[in-house]
Amino acid sequence: MAVAAVLVPLALFLVAAWESRSQRFQEAEQLVHRTVDVLREHAGRVFETQSLVLDRVDERIRGMSWSEIAASEELHRDLRAIDGKLDQVDNVWLIDPEARGRASSNFFPAPASSYVPDRDYFVALKQKDEGIYIGQSYPGRSNPGSVFFNIARRRSTPDGSFDGIIVTSLQPSYFAAFYRPLISAPKDTTSLIRGDGTVLARGPESLSHSSVLSQDSAFMRAIRNGSHGLYRTVSQVDGVERIYAFRKLDPYPLYVTFGHPVSAILARWHKDLMLYGGVTAAALFALLGVTAVAMRRARHERQVFVRWRESEARYEALFQQSPTGLLLSTVRDDGSFAFEEINPALCRTLGVAPEAIIGRAPRDAFPGELGSTIQDAYARCVSRREPVEYEASGEGFDGPFTRRVIVIPIMDAQGRVRKLLGTSMDITQTRQLEEQVRQMQKIEAVGQLTGGVAHDFNNLLMAVIGNLDLLRKRIPEDPRAQRYLDGALQGAQRGAALTQRLLAFARRQDLQARAVDVATLVEGIKDLLERSLGPRVKVRYSLPSGLSPAKIDPNQLELALLNLAVNARDAMPMGGSLSVELDEVAVADARIEGLQSGRYLCLRVTDTGTGMDEETLRRAVEPFFSTKGVGKGTGLGLSMVYGLAAQSGGALRLSSALGKGTTAELWLPVTEAAMEAPRRTASAVPAAAPSTILLVDDDALILMSTASMLEDLGHTVIETESGTKALEMLRAGPPVDLLLTDYAMPGMTGLELARAALVLRPDLKILLATGYADLPEGATLDLPRLPKPYTQDQLAAQIGALVGPQDSSSKVVSLQEWRSAE
């Protein structure tokens, strides 16, 4: 019995020791898995935000040259504003294709020392576009004692060539600060590691130098076998043996890890062994049965107590200090829910005290849609017994908010869901940035489409108008036939006006901008406005004198104001009032979307009509979008006004609500230039004497109709369909007085042809026909332009202004005839 009394307690002691050891390691594995999930969620939000920042900066500098980027103090302030809103960002850089830093959120101008040809992100992205590139850790140039890593995105030209890099520098210390509340043991460690083993951030203490794990390290072997998992190893950094959990941060080549020291696990196990050893020693002096019962009870109570104490301490630290919103709820026996605890971070977001939430059901604490959303998510979580993710929106202390919420079920021993833990991250700014990017991309895409359609339509109208002009001269004096021709020409000219509105929206119309007294301009068209509005609409004007002039095309501004007035009239079928107001306003820090800092005139047109709902207001400037009946509008009025404002360096802002009328604000940039006197109607340009004209156009219809119009004017025409053949004629052909060429041609554009022609014949007169207002960036030739579609009279006037009187015969010469004559 004595032997049995000794052996049985010893055997029980050994079994208990083994079970305790296994349990301690299982608890440690669960701890590292839970913690690494929190780290992954946080890091994912950080890198999503960085991706949106790169998108926003790329959109901000679209269309700017590198010299404009380097010289723009306004761009520097915008970058500094983005940097200031994000704690994790240390700097935002714009790197040109030669690896020179041209703009920065921290410096203006960018220092000459910012030259990074050896940085890994520059070398990689220069070779090819890899999307978001996570760079290595580098010591700071201005502060060598600190370490940073970079997130970069390549910029490319339309043809795919390398055009520099947008870079944000992240502080590893930001991640270290977030990791500290998650630490439960003195030697716990967290890391953010690149897929090649480069350690980008580490906690709880931030990195003081860059570190790279060897390829045969336990971490590198583990990630080759999967995107998440568990391993045990001795750290290459500090030599401490730990149990590590890792998880990949898709879609980036990054991993988050959390390591818990084996020594801490063994320390807790050793405490258990001391307790079990004492119980075993006492059991040696007692009966076998009493000893066995006592050991089991002591072991169970000790395990429960230790687990509860450690879990409670970790939970309290994480719950109270976490920047993530946390909300713990109880599942009642009847299936209803009650909030049990809310952490300070979520209280601040919601702008409520804990007492207003704790003990209440979701629909009681949050009346309306938010309460119903929470109730439904909780019900799904209980029924599925798995985490549920959703987005919740509401009105908080700082205004409207949107949060991404994950509800995690907490089950008892019988598998019943007893509690629910909700974790939430603020994504308000993320959603706002996404919506802004979507709207800007949509407007840009529609503008490119409409501009292209308008250009092609202009070419078609060119052939129609040219041939109708010629036909008018050749038909008998028949009133009915003349009426038919007039109708056809009016239809073609209405089509031309339609394309001008499309080009206005696409910001490609030909503007004659100059200094204009807007108040005087509005005074001059009062009668036209009031006749257009009719007797049922009462008009009120507020046009202060002495305001600065605006830089704008006066004819287009009159048309824009008339469009706004007609829209207002149509919104007031029973009559109403319309106010036209003019103010001069200083705009600073881009507080109005689409405007740079400076002084502007704000021409405000307000009606008391039916107004627009939110969806109609959002689509109001889209081409062909109209709420009017069939045949009552083209849907291009506001599109034209929007394009005019944007092309002139201003903006169009619309505000409206159903039943409360609409306000349209046309913001026009102020100019220091002196105002010109009203332009008088130019006297007719005398027709040019017969000349030899080289006509170039790739469109056979336009080539034929233009050649016929020129022949009808008495000129000799040499026609060809390409720039290459035109150059052959200039090298070897007869003398040419004028080169009339289309701009948009395949192979060689009209502008390229003009450059080459001037090299051959520097004194050659050149007239460029085009359906666009602006030539592409880099066009240095100042050539007279003939906008399509044009009439024979317009063609004759342009030629008369360029070519002096000459003696030549009138004849059309084709390319084949010219070669035969050789």
Side-chain angles (χ1 to χ4, degrees):
M1 291 294 293
V3 173
V6 172
L7 292 179
V8 171
L10 288 177
L12 292 173
F13 172 79
L14 293 175
V15 171
W18 177 255
E19 290 179 353
S20 175
R21 188 179 188 279
S22 300
Q23 186 173 359
R24 289 301 181 187
F25 276 92
Q26 289 176 2
E27 291 173 351
E29 291 174 1
Q30 294 171 1
L31 168 66
V32 295
H33 274 304
R34 289 195 303 270
T35 306
V36 85
D37 285 342
V38 174
L39 298 178
R40 177 180 173 273
E41 179 71 15
H42 169 261
R45 299 297 177 266
V46 171
F47 284 94
E48 284 181 7
T49 301
Q50 297 309 303
S51 178
L52 288 172
V53 167
L54 295 177
D55 288 342
R56 185 175 178 182
V57 173
D58 193 17
E59 186 65 31
R60 171 65 177 82
I61 64 174
R62 180 170 297 174
M64 296 177 67
S65 67
W66 282 107
S67 58
E68 292 172 339
I69 290 172
S72 175
E73 188 172 359
E74 176 65 22
L75 173 61
H76 163 68
R77 287 197 295 269
D78 289 346
L79 296 178
R80 185 173 60 191
I82 294 172
D83 183 352
K85 293 178 181 178
L86 301 173
D87 295 336
Q88 66 269 33
V89 176
D90 179 72
N91 200 350
V92 180
W93 279 98
L94 297 176
I95 310 297
D96 70 13
E98 286 74 39
R100 301 192 308 273
R102 305 303 299 272
S104 164
S105 61
N106 287 350
F107 308 98
F108 183 83
S113 62
S114 54
Y115 182 59
V116 294
D118 57 338
R119 295 302 201 210
D120 63 328
Y121 58 82
F122 183 86
V123 174
L125 293 177
K126 184 177 182 181
Q127 298 299 322
K128 63 178 181 177
D129 189 353
E130 296 188 2
I132 299 296
Y133 186 90
I134 313 298
Q136 297 176 352
S137 299
Y138 292 100
R141 293 178 181 268
S142 59
N143 185 11
S146 61
V147 176
F148 304 92
F149 67 93
N150 301 294
I151 300 177
R153 171 175 289 166
R154 168 180 169 136
R155 294 186 72 218
S156 299
T157 61
D159 63 357
S161 301
F162 177 60
D163 193 24
I165 295 175
I166 307 171
V167 183
T168 61
S169 297
L170 269 66
Q171 306 177 19
S173 58
Y174 167 82
F175 293 91
F178 176 82
Y179 296 157
R180 288 191 189 103
L182 305 177
I183 302 303
S184 61
K187 293 185 179 181
D188 279 354
T189 180
T190 60
S191 299
L192 180 64
I193 306 175
R194 211 167 66 169
D196 61 355
T198 302
V199 181
L200 301 180
R202 195 169 187 266
E205 299 300 327
S206 58
L207 289 170
S208 60
H209 61 279
S210 60
S211 176
V212 180
L213 302 178
S214 64
Q215 292 300 309
D216 62 346
S217 65
F219 169 78
M220 297 301 292
R221 292 196 301 271
I223 66 173
R224 285 194 286 268
N225 295 326
S227 61
H228 64 279
L230 195 73
Y231 64 94
R232 178 175 172 177
T233 188
V234 176
S235 171
Q236 293 183 355
V237 177
D238 57 12
V240 176
E241 184 180 18
R242 296 182 179 89
I243 292 179
Y244 290 86
F246 72 96
R247 185 171 289 275
K248 187 178 181 184
L249 188 64
D250 287 327
Y252 309 104
L254 295 175
Y255 295 82
V256 289
T257 71
F258 179 77
H260 189 60
V262 173
S263 60
I265 304 171
L266 295 177
R268 292 192 291 273
W269 181 55
H270 291 159
K271 290 180 180 180
D272 291 344
L273 291 183
M274 292 176 62
L275 175 62
Y276 301 155
V279 173
T280 301
L284 293 175
F285 304 98
L287 295 174
L288 182 60
V290 174
T291 301
V293 172
M295 287 183 64
R296 284 196 298 270
R297 178 173 295 178
R299 182 173 63 250
H300 177 72
E301 291 179 353
R302 181 62 178 171
Q303 289 172 350
V304 171
F305 174 73
V306 172
R307 284 200 302 270
W308 172 81
R309 185 175 62 185
E310 292 178 352
S311 177
E312 189 70 16
R314 286 197 302 271
Y315 171 78
E316 186 65 22
L318 180 61
F319 198 88
Q320 295 298 326
Q321 300 177 26
S322 174
T324 300
L326 299 174
L327 184 59
L328 183 66
S329 305
T330 299
V331 182
R332 294 169 175 161
D333 293 335
D334 61 359
S336 61
F337 310 102
F339 297 127
E340 183 177 316
E341 193 171 359
I342 182 172
N343 76 332
L346 189 54
C347 284
R348 287 193 297 270
T349 297
L350 300 177
V352 297
E355 307 83 63
I357 300 295
I358 295 174
R360 306 181 69 183
R363 288 195 174 99
D364 295 334
F366 303 104
E369 184 178 351
L370 179 57
S372 298
T373 300
I374 297 172
Q375 178 77 24
D376 294 343
Y378 281 11
R380 293 200 309 273
C381 185
V382 171
S383 63
R384 298 176 185 176
R385 297 199 299 175
E386 62 183 25
V388 171
E389 183 174 349
Y390 68 96
E391 289 188 7
S393 300
E395 190 76 23
F397 181 75
D398 295 324
F401 65 82
T402 302
R403 298 184 73 84
R404 179 172 295 164
V405 184
I406 300 176
V407 182
I408 303 171
I410 302 174
M411 293 175 279
D412 61 12
Q414 287 73 39
R416 293 174 297 185
V417 179
R418 290 300 187 186
K419 293 184 184 297
L420 299 170
L421 178 61
T423 67
S424 64
M425 294 286 291
D426 185 16
I427 58 171
T428 306
Q429 188 178 21
T430 301
R431 289 291 176 264
Q432 292 172 347
L433 288 173
E434 288 174 352
E435 182 61 25
Q436 290 176 7
V437 169
R438 278 195 296 270
Q439 289 300 321
M440 293 171 68
Q441 289 173 340
K442 179 179 179 181
I443 291 296
E444 183 65 24
V446 172
Q448 292 174 357
L449 174 64
T450 55
V453 170
H455 173 260
D456 292 341
F457 195 39
N458 268 342
N459 276 341
L460 298 176
L461 291 173
M462 178 65 250
V464 173
I465 292 175
N467 285 290
L468 288 174
D469 257 354
L470 293 172
L471 184 61
R472 179 195 293 275
K473 294 182 177 182
R474 284 162 174 76
I475 64 172
E477 290 295 330
D478 182 353
R480 179 179 296 180
Q482 290 293 334
R483 190 164 60 251
Y484 294 158
L485 278 175
D486 289 342
L489 275 171
Q490 288 175 8
Q493 288 164 356
R494 286 177 64 183
L498 179 65
T499 62
Q500 285 303 312
R501 291 190 173 189
L502 288 171
L503 288 171
F505 173 75
R507 291 174 258 176
R508 297 179 180 177
Q509 65 177 334
D510 192 5
L511 295 182
Q512 304 298 321
R514 56 189 177 91
V516 175
D517 185 338
V518 179
T520 302
L521 181 144
V522 177
E523 290 282 357
I525 64 169
K526 275 185 178 181
D527 290 342
L528 176 60
L529 280 176
E530 291 168 5
R531 285 198 304 271
S532 300
L533 292 170
R536 291 188 176 184
V537 178
K538 183 177 181 181
V539 187
R540 181 179 64 84
Y541 300 93
S542 176
L543 306 170
S545 59
L547 299 181
S548 301
K551 187 176 182 181
I552 191 71
D553 185 320
N555 295 325
Q556 293 297 326
L557 179 58
E558 289 177 354
L559 180 59
L561 182 56
L562 185 61
N563 271 323
L564 293 176
V566 169
N567 279 350
R569 178 201 66 193
D570 293 344
M572 298 183 290
M574 304 305 295
S577 62
L578 181 78
S579 64
V580 181
E581 301 170 291
L582 184 64
D583 295 314
E584 185 171 347
V585 183
V587 176
D589 299 327
R591 67 179 178 89
I592 298 178
E593 185 178 349
L595 294 184
Q596 298 182 354
S597 298
R599 299 193 66 80
Y600 293 84
L601 290 184
C602 178
L603 182 60
R604 188 179 297 106
V605 179
T606 304
D607 65 60
T608 58
T610 56
M612 295 180 279
D613 58 25
E614 195 170 308
E615 175 65 16
T616 302
L617 182 62
R618 186 176 62 82
R619 300 185 58 193
V621 299
E622 292 182 11
F624 304 112
F625 176 77
S626 176
T627 58
K628 302 176 183 178
V630 176
K632 295 184 178 180
T634 64
L636 288 173
L638 285 177
S639 303
M640 184 277 286
V641 180
Y642 166 82
L644 171 66
Q647 191 174 352
S648 302
L652 173 66
R653 293 186 64 195
L654 299 174
S655 58
S656 183
L658 282 176
K660 297 184 178 179
T662 299
T663 296
E665 294 181 349
L666 189 57
W667 292 77
L668 307 173
V670 165
T671 181
E672 300 297 329
M675 288 184 290
E676 303 176 15
R679 297 185 180 182
R680 298 177 180 175
T681 303
S683 58
V685 177
S691 305
T692 301
I693 298 175
L694 176 57
L695 175 63
V696 188
D697 200 303
D698 64 303
D699 191 305
L701 287 176
I702 297 177
L703 190 66
M704 179 180 67
S705 65
T706 305
S708 298
M709 286 193 289
L710 291 171
E711 179 190 19
D712 188 65
L713 292 172
H715 300 297
T716 298
V717 182
I718 304 173
E719 53 179 300
T720 184
E721 70 278 5
S722 73
T724 304
K725 293 179 180 178
L727 289 176
E728 292 178 5
M729 296 177 180
L730 289 174
R731 290 190 186 98
V736 174
D737 300 310
L738 174 69
L739 170 63
L740 172 56
T741 177
D742 183 34
Y743 167 69
M745 296 187 297
M748 177 182 290
T749 68
L751 193 62
E752 293 168 341
L753 170 61
R755 290 196 183 98
L758 288 174
V759 173
L760 295 175
R761 301 188 182 183
D763 58 343
L764 180 63
K765 304 294 184 182
I766 300 175
L767 180 59
L768 189 66
T770 176
Y772 289 105
D774 297 322
L775 297 180
E777 183 177 353
T780 55
L781 290 180
D782 185 15
L783 299 176
R785 279 180 281 166
L786 181 62
K788 292 181 179 180
Y790 48 82
T791 64
Q792 188 181 34
D793 290 341
Q794 293 170 332
L795 179 62
Q798 283 280 22
I799 294 174
L802 289 173
V803 180
Q806 296 183 17
D807 293 329
S808 62
S809 60
S810 175
K811 176 184 175 185
V812 177
V813 182
S814 68
L815 178 62
Q816 290 78 6
E817 292 172 338
W818 174 73
R819 285 180 172 169
S820 299
E822 282 188 314

